[in-house]
Amino acid sequence: MTFKTKFGALADHQKGRVDVIDDDPRNYVFSNVFDVASRARPWERVCVAKNFEYVIEAVRASGESPFWTARHDEFVLCMDGELTVELHKPNAPIGGAEARDGAHRLDALPSSKPMGRVVLQRGQMALLPKQSAYQLRAAAPSAAIIQTIEGPETIFRWAEICQTDGASASRPASPTRATALDRALPLQTRFETGAADADTGYRAFTVGGFAFERDRYFAYVRHGEVRHQLPVDAFLRALMRDVAWGFFYGTVNFDDVLGTTNFYGEVELFLGAKNESFVRAGRDVTERFASADLMKTFKAILADWTNEGFDPFAAPLETTAAFGAKHGSNAKAIERERVSARRMVGLPGDTEVRSDRTGYPVNRMFEDVPQHQPTVEVEPGFEHEVSGFNLFSYLSRSDVTWNPSVCSVLRESLFCPTSEEYILPIDHGNDRVEWFIQLSDEIVWDVKDGATGRPRARVTMRAGDVAAMPADIRHRGFSTKRSMLLVWENGSPQIPDLIRRGEAPVVPVRF
Ligand code: PHB
Ligand code: FE
């Protein structure tokens, strides 16, 4: 079987859309990079995603750009065609650009030294280093996105680029989120590990008032009268993410009943707390733990319940089953280090590009993805700043699914691309807005209300599509062909409290 990876292009892109169940499509700020770029004038920097001060701009590249400079790093990802990035180091600091974030247009190239150049083709990314003067060139119309901060060059035209049709007649306001601030649950300190079961071989675990057990097919979670079960493969896939991501942002729903909410240092474990019926009936239970304590038990459950051959990070077609009585273990799969670039993948001393040599063969569904690295010409002394790598190759070689890894970092603006197949193992209830840019193929997102679980929308994303996920929803993605997704996070620790106090909106922009 050979698979065809679908990328988008200026001249050839099929947009997905927001199909509302009970919502307003404006909340998803849904646009498409190729659509925006194809309708823009050359070198306009049109904002397609915004999270507080951070933005992603879409650019139609054609001919020569102005010279730009910024006091912070920026990153450019070629989405279609070919782009040359020329970098220069000014001999003196540039007045206006040092006073304000964002890219600043220069009237002309200031007196400077050449740093080098990077030639980018589709899927390749380069650093636009802080305090450089850069110019982009494209011999034929091309498209790019830039990870940067809002500045004088950023253009906003939301109403023209975003889907506005299809709102439901009346959307009930979601319940207030201000619960966690109001109460301080005591920290639970009871943690127990049972003996291996004589029949199945698995251990039982107790954390606070919660009991965890598994058998050949199911995981069981009990708290007093409240009993719950879920398929053990789904449980382990969700647990794997909760462990690997340090309880992630906001709420990790394993399903409609069981989950954790991250308070960064402390964490709540619950049954039914994000389920309207449980809450209404008073059947929900929540307990709070020091994160390090709950993490220790979660790691122990994951280690004991994961059998030889089962990889909770792998697509179902690339692993054996999770089921049956205990047989062996898979420490290698569950102890993978999370990859996180400090500045950008491929920079000297930063996280490495992936290759056959480093143990990352191309995935069976990405065999058609070009693997060459961008052309980089560096003047001596600028090796740490003139750099690029092939992001699409990097993603085509991921050995895991639904596991974003930080690839470029601008302060709290984190590009976290990932490769996806089958179903996101958690129903993620974020505590902030996050953004998706679909880089290849298609993902469908089921979106529900974060607090109640009521269905709100179904979002279909195809190559080039951009969508915000509001801070009051939960979402779960479905990808039938392995696909590439750029998850864009604002990691600022202030955001959850701003939103809980109602001082920041749950949507990134209003238009
Ligand atoms: C998300 O919750 O937004 C998320 C998590 C993991 C992924 C993709 C998206 O791989
Ligand atoms: Fe999410």
Side-chain angles (χ1 to χ4, degrees):
M1 180 67 200
T2 57
F3 294 90
K4 179 152 173 39
T5 302
K6 261 192 116 169
F7 295 109
L10 281 169
D12 178 19
H13 54 275
Q14 277 107 41
K15 280 163 78 163
R17 63 175 276 114
V18 181
D19 290 307
V20 150
I21 297 158
D22 193 9
D23 210 334
D24 185 337
R26 284 180 181 80
N27 292 339
Y28 299 87
V29 200
F30 189 96
S31 72
N32 178 286
V33 166
F34 303 109
D35 183 44
V36 172
S38 65
R39 294 196 274 144
R41 281 197 292 277
W43 310 114
E44 282 186 325
R45 300 174 62 133
V46 183
C47 187
V48 291
K50 174 171 165 60
N51 204 334
F52 292 85
E53 69 270 38
Y54 302 107
V55 296
I56 300 175
E57 298 164 338
V59 177
R60 174 189 178 81
S62 182
E64 281 188 353
S65 81
F67 285 96
W68 282 304
T69 186
R71 66 179 182 179
H72 48 77
D73 284 347
E74 303 173 279
F75 302 89
V76 58
L77 170 62
C78 179
M79 296 288 287
D80 181 28
E82 184 178 289
L83 208 63
T84 300
V85 181
E86 289 281 355
L87 296 168
H88 307 267
K89 187 79 197 168
N91 293 327
I94 299 172
E98 283 300 320
R100 181 187 167 183
D101 285 337
H104 296 251
R105 183 185 291 243
L106 302 171
D107 297 333
L109 179 63
S111 142
S112 55
K113 281 191 275 301
M115 298 172 75
R117 74 170 58 85
V118 184
V119 183
L120 299 175
Q121 294 181 338
R122 185 174 66 197
Q124 300 175 348
M125 186 170 188
L127 169 65
L128 302 170
K130 63 179 177 189
Q131 293 161 328
S132 65
Y134 62 90
Q135 183 182 45
L136 309 178
R137 285 199 314 261
S142 301
I145 57 173
I146 300 176
Q147 177 186 8
T148 182
I149 298 178
E150 179 182 346
E153 291 286 287
T154 313
I155 293 172
F156 296 98
R157 47 174 75 125
W158 299 115
E160 285 130 83
I161 66 173
C162 293
Q163 181 185 334
T164 53
D165 68 296
S168 56
S170 71
R171 195 179 91 64
S174 47
T176 91
R177 301 165 53 85
T179 49
L181 283 184
D182 300 339
R183 77 195 140 98
L185 292 173
L187 293 188
Q188 300 294 320
T189 53
R190 179 178 170 214
F191 301 92
E192 287 165 19
T193 304
D197 182 82
D199 173 31
T200 65
Y202 297 110
R203 291 178 193 281
F205 296 83
T206 306
V207 296
F210 292 88
F212 288 80
E213 283 175 37
R214 87 155 273 186
D215 64 15
R216 290 175 172 79
Y217 278 126
F218 301 109
Y220 302 86
V221 187
R222 179 168 43 84
H223 188 290
E225 305 268 277
V226 186
R227 294 166 177 276
H228 184 59
Q229 73 290 309
L230 61 163
V232 77
D233 60 332
F235 175 85
L236 291 172
R237 289 190 176 105
L239 183 64
M240 181 75 255
R241 273 58 183 192
D242 220 9
V243 165
W245 306 342
F247 301 114
F248 205 32
Y249 298 109
T251 296
V252 170
N253 296 288
F254 286 45
D255 64 5
D256 289 342
V257 178
L258 172 68
T260 60
T261 301
N262 196 352
F263 293 92
Y264 308 94
E266 296 180 3
V267 60
E268 289 183 354
L269 174 64
F270 61 80
L271 282 170
K274 307 285 177 184
N275 182 304
E276 192 171 33
S277 299
F278 274 71
V279 172
R280 199 191 300 123
R283 299 281 292 179
D284 60 306
V285 284
T286 303
E287 288 183 359
R288 198 151 168 140
F289 301 86
S291 300
D293 289 345
L294 187 62
M295 181 57 74
K296 215 171 141 196
T297 301
F298 271 19
K299 283 186 172 167
I301 299 175
L302 187 62
D304 189 65
W305 293 7
T306 301
N307 287 311
E308 183 178 358
F310 179 66
D311 181 350
F313 267 131
L317 286 173
E318 298 190 328
T319 177
T320 64
F323 303 121
K326 185 162 173 64
H327 53 282
S329 58
N330 197 353
K332 192 165 159 272
I334 64 175
E335 286 167 12
R336 285 188 179 93
E337 291 282 320
R338 190 164 185 212
V339 190
S340 195
R342 282 173 297 283
R343 195 175 184 191
M344 187 184 77
V345 171
L347 280 165
D350 214 318
T351 56
E352 268 190 53
V353 300
R354 295 182 180 137
S355 65
D356 290 346
R357 188 184 53 79
T358 58
Y360 293 94
V362 174
N363 183 267
R364 74 200 193 288
M365 290 201 195
F366 283 140
E367 271 166 14
D368 56 345
V369 175
Q371 294 296 326
H372 58 282
Q373 293 299 331
T375 308
V376 181
E377 294 167 21
V378 193
E379 298 296 332
F382 294 107
E383 294 79 4
H384 287 261
E385 291 177 288
V386 182
S387 184
F389 78 107
N390 187 337
L391 174 63
F392 289 3
S393 158
Y394 187 85
L395 293 173
S396 75
R397 294 173 178 275
S398 174
D399 61 339
V400 293
T401 59
W402 306 103
N403 189 36
S405 50
V406 178
C407 282
S408 57
V409 180
L410 163 51
R411 299 183 195 156
E412 300 285 3
S413 161
L414 310 174
F415 267 21
C416 311
T418 154
S419 67
E420 318 297 47
E421 184 177 329
Y422 193 53
I423 307 174
L424 174 60
I426 64 164
D427 204 343
H428 181 219
N430 216 333
D431 57 12
R432 64 196 72 210
V433 171
E434 69 186 337
W435 286 82
F436 296 149
I437 297 186
Q438 192 68 35
L439 298 175
S440 85
D441 305 289
E442 179 179 298
I443 297 179
V444 172
W445 292 92
D446 260 353
V447 182
K448 302 178 197 165
D449 188 80
T452 65
R454 285 188 206 162
R456 282 177 52 169
R458 183 172 190 271
V459 182
T460 302
M461 298 192 68
R462 307 216 171 100
D465 285 345
V466 186
M469 290 288 152
D472 62 348
I473 59 96
R474 72 183 75 168
H475 53 209
R476 177 163 249 171
F478 299 76
S479 186
T480 197
K481 147 114 173 42
R482 205 176 185 92
S483 66
M484 300 182 190
L485 171 68
L486 173 57
V487 179
W488 180 44
E489 299 283 2
N490 182 339
S492 165
Q494 272 89 48
I495 294 175
D497 276 347
L498 285 176
I499 291 176
R500 279 190 206 108
R501 287 198 298 263
E503 290 164 18
V506 295
V507 292
V509 290
R510 292 190 206 276
F511 58 95

